[in-house]
Amino acid sequence: MLNTAEISVIGAGIGGLAVATALAQRGADVTLHEQAPAITEVGAGLQISPNGVAVLDALGLGDAARAAGMGARAVVLRDYRRRGEVLRMDLAAHAPGQTFLLMHRADLVDLLADGARAAGVRFDLGARVEQVVPGARPALHLADGRQIAPDLIIGADGLHSVARRVLNGDDAPFFTGQ
């Protein structure tokens, strides 16, 4: 159990919400810092493979995900350069009994946010993290002047991650063409 751990998660996207929920369900004191003023998501549909469905099940959210999503029977990968199908996988034949879901990203974020709230995660909305300071007791410096020193900081803050820079320097992620 993580009864005494004070954990800050940066970013309230899919990864941040999932890890915050998992840690809070195991007794951690979790605060989720999100720069947006509300938990919202735009985007398109997602394919959730059986390992992702297993995570949702472990978080106690699997039944709600199945109700919000739609089962998939096949996965088709396409290459935009060749403008054609690269692979078609019949899921029932290749993974019998496994659950593959199709779901809109916003529905998944709503589901995960509800799960995080139910687990006792605190939401610090409109909280832009400007700096992560590593050390024996790491710290967050927020744009509003607050400094927070939790036991652990988890960076789930996306493409322009403040946390990643602490670990990887200025090496930015790049599109691989896949």
Side-chain angles (χ1 to χ4, degrees):
M1 293 298 280
L2 300 166
N3 293 10
T4 60
E6 191 178 319
I7 300 173
S8 285
V9 177
I10 308 169
I14 293 169
L17 289 164
V19 74
T21 302
L23 292 168
Q25 287 177 344
R26 284 149 187 84
D29 178 12
V30 182
T31 302
L32 203 151
H33 306 279
E34 170 56 46
Q35 67 181 348
I39 305 296
T40 59
E41 184 59 70
V42 295
L46 297 173
Q47 298 174 20
I48 304 174
S49 62
N51 59 340
V53 174
V55 169
L56 292 169
D57 284 336
L59 294 174
L61 303 171
D63 289 341
R66 286 175 182 84
M70 176 173 56
R73 293 183 293 227
V75 171
V76 178
L77 300 179
R78 298 179 179 275
D79 185 314
Y80 74 95
R81 284 177 260 177
R82 290 189 290 180
R83 300 193 189 275
E85 196 172 285
V86 174
L87 170 77
R88 179 178 187 82
M89 185 169 61
D90 178 346
L91 301 175
H94 289 92
Q98 299 293 310
T99 301
F100 290 81
L101 290 176
L102 303 176
M103 182 181 292
H104 194 279
R105 181 180 296 272
D107 293 337
L108 180 59
V109 167
D110 288 345
L111 180 89
L112 289 166
D114 289 345
R117 286 184 195 95
V121 172
R122 281 186 311 285
F123 286 77
D124 183 17
L125 301 177
R128 187 168 57 85
V129 175
E130 290 189 331
Q131 184 180 13
V132 174
V133 180
R137 184 80 175 190
L140 297 176
H141 293 214
L142 283 77
D144 64 8
R146 287 182 291 154
Q147 293 185 18
I148 300 166
D151 297 310
L152 176 67
I153 297 170
I154 297 176
D157 48 337
L159 184 62
H160 304 289
S161 174
V162 174
R164 182 178 41 247
R165 276 186 257 141
V166 172
L167 300 171
N168 299 332
D170 289 329
D171 291 344
F174 57 92
F175 182 60
T176 63
Q178 298 295 313

